[in-house]
Amino acid sequence: MASPMRSLLTDPARYLQSFQLFLANSTEHQCMREFMERQLPAVVASIGNGKSTINILSVGGGAGEIDLLILSKLQARYPGVTINNDVIEPSADQILKYKEHVAETSNLENVKFTWHKETAYEYESRMNAEKKSKKWDFIHMIQMLYYVKDVPATIRYFHSLLEAQAKLLIILVSGTSGWETLWKKYGSSFPLDDLCSYVSSADIKRILDSAGLKYQLHELPSHMDITSCFIEGNKDGELLLDFLTETYEFSKTAPPELKHQVMEELRKPECSEERDGKVLFNNNLSVIVIEP
């Protein structure tokens, strides 16, 4: 009998709902913000030297919260310089939210925004068809490499668009996170289709090492409160389980044995720690900064 399980990405509304709940329950954005505040200035210290215009490409820019923080750091480092900020983002909803965030943000007079409603692969195909290979001073891919078909090829393509002083910045789950433990064990049981694949910093390091690329790695400690996942029938808990397994209504559609195993796994110290009566899932991230 075919499993009734299906990928969470087949229901974009529920995916977005579960993603927003994940952000509300985790320190995902806090730890990224901390990195942008403390360490990004050093990363971008030389990308715009002597330039009157800096070109930035955001691949999978989402709703733009982190993008705008990156832009504020660049503006502080290069006051008065014109910044062209191109955004590749396939979700019309997310682009709309991004534009709202831009409208609410002051001091963006010297930033020009261009949105491309397409996937990274569609962007690459279009550029190749138009025989364009625009070069960029800074390219970032934040939490988006799970949604590309061919990770090494995607990294190779965007790396090829870097200017001489440029940097390519990737953020994704760490090879030391609970995601790694859960997905290495049960990923093959989840209904991923070809919309999404599991990839962590451990995989990216292997790809970069075999390509002989130079990079720096920063680990960002992060956690997500998944206590509600263990309360039978809790709506938030069900949405977070959907997000953890990338499965639409996981708790209703997963075979009982798989559900039991996943719930057990999530409580193990390799995945989570119990603190003050809460179950905190290890959501550690890695930032990888790649040289041209």
Side-chain angles (χ1 to χ4, degrees):
M1 187 185 118
S3 160
M5 289 168 77
R6 62 184 170 101
S7 166
L8 180 57
L9 289 164
T10 57
D11 188 315
R14 190 168 171 93
Y15 173 79
L16 205 57
Q17 214 186 342
S18 69
F19 174 63
Q20 280 157 350
L21 191 64
F22 156 70
L23 287 181
N25 275 275
S26 72
T27 58
E28 171 98 351
H29 273 181
Q30 289 94 302
C31 77
M32 284 192 209
R33 282 200 184 94
E34 213 161 278
F35 175 84
M36 300 307 170
E37 294 288 348
R38 291 185 181 168
Q39 286 161 293
L40 187 70
V43 171
V44 299
S46 63
I47 64 169
N49 283 353
K51 298 192 167 188
S52 55
T53 305
I54 296 175
N55 296 314
I56 299 175
L57 184 60
S58 163
V59 187
E65 300 101 330
I66 301 296
D67 284 20
L68 289 169
L69 187 55
I70 289 172
L71 288 168
S72 73
K73 294 294 152 206
L74 277 156
Q75 287 178 303
R77 175 68 184 81
Y78 302 103
V81 168
T82 301
I83 297 174
N84 293 324
N85 188 70
D86 279 38
V87 182
I88 300 170
E89 171 54 57
S91 160
D93 277 354
Q94 293 286 78
I95 289 178
L96 199 63
K97 287 201 175 71
Y98 198 134
K99 289 179 176 174
E100 285 167 6
H101 284 132
V102 168
E104 292 158 6
T105 307
S106 54
N107 305 327
L108 290 173
E109 298 78 21
N110 62 332
V111 184
K112 291 214 298 251
F113 290 90
T114 310
W115 286 273
H116 306 277
K117 188 191 164 302
E118 56 195 349
T119 64
Y121 180 71
E122 287 163 350
Y123 175 85
E124 180 181 345
S125 305
R126 184 169 61 82
M127 287 296 140
N128 288 338
E130 295 172 8
K131 299 212 173 356
K132 285 183 182 163
S133 62
K134 181 169 178 177
K135 295 282 188 180
W136 302 89
D137 300 302
F138 189 48
I139 300 176
H140 54 84
M141 309 165 124
I142 297 174
Q143 291 289 46
M144 60 69 65
L145 281 172
Y146 322 109
Y147 308 108
V148 304
K149 292 258 197 310
D150 186 336
V151 174
T154 301
I155 292 175
R156 221 172 20 247
Y157 171 71
F158 286 102
H159 182 264
S160 75
L161 305 181
L162 291 177
E163 288 279 17
Q165 298 287 319
K167 298 278 191 290
L168 168 58
L169 179 138
I170 292 172
I171 301 184
L172 79 173
V173 296
S174 168
T176 65
S177 67
W179 294 97
E180 185 82 347
T181 307
L182 181 68
W183 277 79
K184 285 285 182 266
K185 229 179 202 179
Y186 296 107
S188 57
S189 306
F190 301 148
L192 273 187
D193 306 335
D194 57 355
L195 292 167
C196 177
S197 61
Y198 176 72
V199 56
S200 75
S201 63
D203 304 303
I204 304 302
K205 278 168 68 178
R206 280 194 290 276
I207 292 166
L208 298 177
D209 288 340
S210 69
L213 293 174
K214 281 172 59 179
Y215 61 91
Q216 290 98 41
L217 186 70
H218 307 265
E219 290 287 309
L220 311 185
S222 173
H223 64 261
M224 160 169 56
D225 184 347
I226 59 168
T227 315
S228 59
C229 294
F230 300 93
I231 304 167
E232 197 59 50
N234 181 290
K235 286 277 176 286
D236 283 0
E238 288 181 359
L239 275 168
L240 287 175
L241 268 177
D242 285 11
F243 192 76
L244 282 161
T245 60
E246 289 281 336
T247 304
Y248 175 78
E249 298 207 329
F250 176 81
S251 58
K252 293 188 176 73
T253 63
E257 183 55 23
L258 176 64
K259 183 181 172 184
H260 175 72
Q261 288 171 335
V262 166
M263 298 311 288
E264 293 242 295
E265 192 67 39
L266 284 172
R267 273 196 181 274
K268 287 182 184 169
E270 292 81 9
C271 272
S272 304
E273 66 165 316
E274 304 211 14
R275 205 189 319 154
D276 306 328
K278 290 181 172 165
V279 184
L280 301 177
F281 180 77
N282 177 332
N283 184 56
N284 290 358
L285 301 175
S286 295
V287 179
I288 302 168
V289 181
I290 308 169
E291 306 288 332

